[in-house]
Amino acid sequence: MPARCPGGHLAATSVIVVSRKLNLPRDGQGAEVAETAVTEVLAELAELEDPKMRAVNEKHGDDHGVNLGKLRAIAKRLKTQQELSRELWATGDSAARLLATLICRPKAFERAELDAMLREARTPKVHDWLVNYVVKKSPHAEELRLAWSADPDPVIAGAGWALTTERVAKKPAGLDLAGLLDVIEAEMKDAAPRLQWAMNSCLAQIGIDHAEHRARALDIGERLEVLKDYPTPPNCTSPYAPIWINEMVRRQS
């Protein structure tokens, strides 16, 4: 992949009890237990908040200071809990929403629910995790790909292009790759940042995976020069499409 390189703890017994009780109906005692679980998880996330990490994240548009490795550890402990995931998402807190994407059951969401969640995802990291960890695993992914790609909001359209990149890599049958390159060639240069990033990723994926389109993908990347000067940390691959394509093809040979 290219560079983008863009407290205390709950007692284990209380987490297990919460996990079991969340199978109860979402009324009466079940709803009360779910609310208690959310309160406890939010308290744990708050204790993990690091002001220095928040300052770094805020430079990239994110508004949390929780170490993602520690957040993943919480998710691993909680395991899949769909109702708790929904409750955490509803808080609007970014760290809670990131955790929600890790403990949910992606196939349990309706299409309209996923659409609403994407439009509520205020920050880049929440947006990316929702698309990558939830929507891509949903039976509604293809319908949403088509709808979002045509959305006038560039952030929503970027999600559509991210799903298109997934199809280019894993299920390209039926895609008009030449047509996608036409759109990228015409629109990527002046696209809003998140949409531009997603279109560039699709351009690179086409060039990497489809040799018959590689020369054109390289040519488009070279002429448009999108992300050519993107700061790339050591040991990471530049997101500039010509470098990205050539490096990945080299590794595959």
Side-chain angles (χ1 to χ4, degrees):
M1 292 296 293
R4 205 170 195 165
C5 17
H9 302 278
L10 295 176
T13 52
S14 69
V15 173
I16 293 172
V17 170
V18 167
S19 300
R20 289 173 180 167
K21 289 187 177 180
L22 278 169
N23 292 321
L24 295 172
R26 293 187 65 198
D27 56 5
Q29 185 181 4
E32 182 178 348
V33 172
E35 183 177 349
T36 301
V38 171
T39 301
E40 292 175 342
V41 174
L42 289 176
E44 183 170 10
L45 291 173
E47 291 182 7
L48 294 175
E49 177 75 16
D50 181 342
K52 293 182 179 179
M53 184 168 292
R54 173 179 282 269
V56 171
N57 288 337
E58 286 179 344
K59 293 179 181 179
H60 303 287
D62 293 307
D63 60 356
H64 73 88
V66 177
N67 179 283
L68 296 181
K70 294 179 180 179
L71 187 144
R72 289 180 186 277
I74 295 173
K76 184 177 181 179
R77 190 186 70 224
L78 292 175
K79 299 183 172 60
T80 301
Q81 297 192 44
Q82 180 65 11
E83 293 307 317
L84 177 57
S85 171
R86 282 195 167 101
E87 296 286 346
L88 288 170
W89 184 272
T91 67
D93 177 80
S94 287
R97 285 183 164 180
L98 291 173
L99 181 58
T101 68
L102 298 178
I103 66 170
C104 73
R105 187 175 293 107
K107 294 181 180 179
F109 293 106
E110 298 296 332
R111 171 182 166 173
E113 189 173 11
L114 290 172
D115 182 76
M117 290 169 72
L118 184 72
R119 296 176 193 279
E120 294 168 359
R122 299 172 293 101
T123 64
K125 185 65 71 176
V126 173
H127 175 106
D128 289 345
W129 281 27
L130 177 65
V131 172
N132 288 307
Y133 299 151
V134 185
V135 180
K136 286 182 179 180
K137 300 176 183 178
S138 165
H140 308 294
E142 180 62 13
E143 294 177 66
L144 290 170
R145 181 185 77 84
L146 294 171
W148 288 346
S149 294
D151 198 280
D153 184 334
V155 173
I156 304 302
W161 277 92
L163 294 175
T164 298
T165 302
E166 179 83 351
R167 270 207 62 185
V168 168
K170 296 183 177 180
K171 296 181 180 179
L175 283 178
D176 179 3
L177 298 179
L180 290 174
L181 290 176
D182 288 342
V183 176
I184 292 169
E185 185 173 20
E187 300 179 11
M188 183 174 70
K189 182 73 171 180
D190 298 319
R194 288 185 62 76
L195 175 55
Q196 184 185 72
W197 183 279
M199 295 177 82
N200 182 72
S201 296
C202 188
L203 171 67
Q205 200 68 56
I206 292 173
I208 293 165
D209 291 343
H210 301 277
E212 68 275 23
H213 296 287
R214 187 170 298 147
R216 185 181 176 199
L218 288 167
D219 177 66
I220 291 171
E222 289 167 358
R223 285 189 291 104
L224 298 187
E225 297 187 332
V226 168
L227 300 176
K228 184 175 183 179
D229 298 322
Y230 191 86
T232 305
N235 301 318
C236 288
T237 302
S238 170
Y240 176 49
I243 293 177
W244 185 0
I245 293 169
N246 285 325
E247 174 60 18
M248 297 308 295
V249 170
R250 183 191 67 78
R251 293 182 190 182
Q252 293 170 1
S253 61

